[in-house]
Amino acid sequence: MATLPLIQIKAFSKPSVPTLVIFADDELKIDGEAIAAVGGSGEAIEKAASIADFKGKKSSFLDVIAPAGADVDRVIVAGLGKASELNEQDWLKLGGALFGKLKSLNIEAAEVCMAAPAIADKHAAYLAQGMLLRSYVFDDFKTKKADDEKSESYALNVTLKVGDEASSAAAWKEYEGVAGGVLLARELVNLPPNVLGPVEFAQKAVDLGALGVETEVLTAEQMETLGMGALLGVARGSRRPARLAIMKWNGGKEGEAPIAFVGKGVVFDSGGISIKPGAGMDEMKGDMGGAAAVTGLMHALAARKAKANVIGVIGLVENMPDGDAIRPGDILTSMSGQTVEVLNTDAEGRLVLGDALWYTQDRFKPSIMINLATLTGACLIALGNHRAGLFSNNDELAQKLFEVGETSGEKLWRLPLGDEYDKMVDTPNADMRNTGGSRLAGATTAAQFLQRYVNDTPWAHLDIAGTAMGSPKTEISQGWASGYGVRLLNELVKSHYEG
């Protein structure tokens, strides 16, 4: 991971570095505190804005060499647009765009004067989080860099100057912890499969003990004793043994039922005997995006000391072809006792999740249970890269998830479940089959399969195949892995499940 910026929050004071960032709205109003920080009347900035035809549009920037007598050498004016209409996501994106601007100018130290119409102290935390998220670069395995890549090691020291240092600093501590969870999820998805196998991934969960997360790891032998024949069936073709990692954060009331998150962790998916085409198979290192999101979420909740009892369970396997691999036509017995006819070994994620979901609801009796998985190409075709698919047996939970998706910017769209779809996973040879029998409604039939492992627990399935990896570049995410799901589910916990 590239060097992350050092972000500090301090009270308003005279600038101590050569570069100052100030804000202007679409009427080019600049707060008096900002003008005072520059050390002039503001006329030079107004003149520069006129010459450059700068209109103060949202996330636009004006780079001004400060006039003689100013307290700084350079002023960067960041446009807010209609400042009174900015929401949390706007400030987050502005922070990302600002980091990109500072990086393009190779500025090593800057101060940001958080003074302008409609800027509140809490906005500093959103801005800072956007900067931190934008800074992420996956370059762990590069030993040499081309000339135009030298800036990837760019390290920024930035101080946000605010009116209420204590309030903004407290908010930033929380948002920094959440950002850390997103970056962890991105790093896990980006790591190559020869480095991150099931055992190594489980260790990443154990490492969260530094934040107070209690982690238990089940071996293949322990899972066999529990009867997890579906999950272990997927792992049979790999030389690397399966693991199930159970993470616990006890921040809520003692004895209160936990909320549970379950993630698909296929560290590499070749498709097994039903092998995938070679083109693009390298991207199947990201087929553990659901497990990465759950691990990142547990980091975020622990880092900000969430007042909730939370369980995170991740099923970790590798799906490979081998003489011992499961075959199309095999019938597996899951931990629930239900049998599954395998028609396609590349429909493996639902086998992993079926056992993980059953184990979670059976052992922990959660009040709600949400799973995340890069599960189906069908969902990617349906929704593209901009929204994840949402399936649920509970309308209230589905509505909460949809709303926090809109708030967090990690958006969802609800897709149907129903008896007519459930029948598509029936087979005369076993209790169910692991495909719907055709390409039709592929995302829904996968969800119907999973629903057979949750009993009456309020449950939601998030199909993040289009959002966890290969997602579009945004102001806050410039890489291949987005860390999707961490901010979404952190917001869900924060808004609805903390005491």
Side-chain angles (χ1 to χ4, degrees), residues 243-326:
R243 292 289 185 268
L244 189 81
I246 304 104
M247 296 165 279
K248 305 174 187 176
W249 171 252
N250 300 312
K253 298 175 183 176
E254 186 175 354
E256 188 174 55
I259 55 179
F261 300 94
V262 180
K264 169 190 171 183
V266 180
V267 297
F268 183 75
D269 181 20
S270 69
I273 297 297
S274 308
I275 196 164
K276 294 177 180 289
M281 194 192 288
D282 59 294
E283 295 189 352
M284 289 301 98
K285 70 175 186 176
D287 207 17
M288 29 58 70
V294 171
T295 307
L297 173 66
M298 298 303 292
H299 177 287
L301 297 175
R304 71 174 184 81
K305 307 301 182 198
K307 295 180 175 62
N309 295 330
V310 185
I311 300 295
V313 176
I314 51 176
L316 305 170
V317 302
E318 181 177 49
N319 187 24
M320 296 289 282
D322 179 80
D324 194 40
I326 55 172

Side-chain angles (χ1 to χ4, degrees), residues 6 11 41 54 98 119 140 222 310 357 367 413 417 428 467:
L6 174 62
S41 65
F54 178 73
L98 176 57
I119 292 184
D140 301 31
Q222 289 171 307
V310 185
L357 285 166
S367 59
W413 196 257
L417 295 168
T467 53

Side-chain angles (χ1 to χ4, degrees), residues 224-236:
E224 186 173 4
T225 299
L226 290 168
M228 293 188 179
L231 185 153
L232 292 175
V234 177
R236 270 174 39 186

